[in-house]
Amino acid sequence: MEEEFRALLKRVRAELVSPAEFSAYEKLLALVRADTRPARDELAGVLVAAEQPLWAREIAAFALGSKGDRRAFETLVLLLNYREPVRCATAAHALARLRDPRTARAAAALATNPLRTAYALYPVRLLSELRAPESVPALLSTLERLLAARDHCWPVARACVEGLGVLGDRRAEATLVAAREHERLRSAAVVALARLTGRGPRSGGPQGPGSGSST
């Protein structure tokens, strides 16, 4: 059992208060450990059944997502934009392993939504990890908006800077130069710009249409 799932189970177990909850938890864990098609079907049922607690949906979605079962997609995307960062992190981990082609579009929509900026940290980090065609445009759009905003939301802005450096796409150069002017982003921007210079226009970045350098 991987470390992230053990941490999820430990966190959930600490939330349980009643014998009924502990019983439901053990039954759910038995399904995860069984890892058979019938067990996965039961886990998928947890995602859509009425009156299921959030922790149960989270365990089922993580287990299915980590196995590449796309029935977990909708629940994981909802958790990716949840108000509790620890749940966002768990969802991002599972989504990165789900390999659903919808994931990058969903993460980009969450990252660029100006009404949800406070919850955009993990969608931004996920976009960097996915290296999808949507990644660079979404990170650029988000970073440019934050640089111009009164509330820069520094953790999200820094994650955008770091992600653009990892992706290594020269379209990000001008925006990273602008980010370098902000003291709280300067060190990350310097590193990101150095990566761009060292890698060239497209090295390490998405290989989809339009991923070359700007003119």
Side-chain angles (χ1 to χ4, degrees):
M1 190 178 297
E2 62 179 310
E3 181 180 347
E4 289 80 5
F5 192 53
R6 286 197 297 269
L8 166 59
L9 294 179
K10 182 178 180 181
R11 169 168 55 81
V12 167
R13 191 173 179 84
E15 298 174 2
L16 306 179
V17 294
S18 70
E21 287 179 326
F22 279 103
S23 177
Y25 169 85
E26 292 297 337
K27 180 181 178 181
L28 200 59
L29 190 53
L31 291 173
V32 174
R33 287 171 172 161
D35 194 25
T36 62
R37 181 55 190 257
R40 289 194 293 272
D41 288 343
E42 285 197 55
L43 290 172
V46 171
L47 301 180
V48 297
E51 299 182 359
Q52 288 290 331
L54 181 62
W55 60 261
R57 298 183 194 277
E58 185 180 12
I59 289 175
F62 187 97
L64 290 171
S66 297
K67 294 292 183 179
D69 191 320
R70 293 180 179 178
R71 290 176 289 183
F73 175 77
E74 287 81 4
T75 300
L76 289 172
V77 169
L78 288 174
L79 290 169
L80 181 65
N81 200 228
Y82 201 69
R83 63 179 178 271
E84 296 178 59
V86 66
R87 286 196 157 101
C88 299
T90 298
H93 181 86
L95 281 166
R97 283 144 189 81
L98 181 59
R99 300 188 182 279
D100 190 302
R102 299 169 291 176
T103 299
R105 293 192 298 272
L110 295 175
T112 57
N113 185 345
L115 301 179
R116 303 293 291 176
T117 300
Y119 305 101
L121 179 60
Y122 287 96
V124 163
R125 289 178 175 173
L126 179 58
L127 284 166
S128 305
E129 184 174 356
L130 292 174
R131 297 178 177 269
E134 296 88 349
S135 296
V136 170
L139 296 187
L140 276 175
S141 174
T142 302
L143 180 56
E144 288 166 358
R145 173 169 52 82
L146 292 176
L147 293 178
R150 180 175 299 178
D151 179 6
H152 299 296
C153 198
W154 297 115
V156 176
R158 184 180 180 89
C160 289
V161 169
E162 292 171 345
L164 290 168
V166 168
L167 294 171
D169 193 304
R170 289 295 289 270
R171 287 176 293 172
E173 187 169 2
T175 304
L176 290 173
V177 168
R180 191 176 57 189
E181 299 304 309
H182 295 264
E183 183 178 355
R184 296 179 69 172
L185 300 177
R186 186 169 298 137
S187 60
V190 167
V191 172
L193 284 165
R195 285 186 164 191
L196 261 62
T197 302
R199 291 184 177 184
R202 297 178 61 177
S203 175
Q207 299 299 310
S211 63
S213 60
S214 60
T215 57

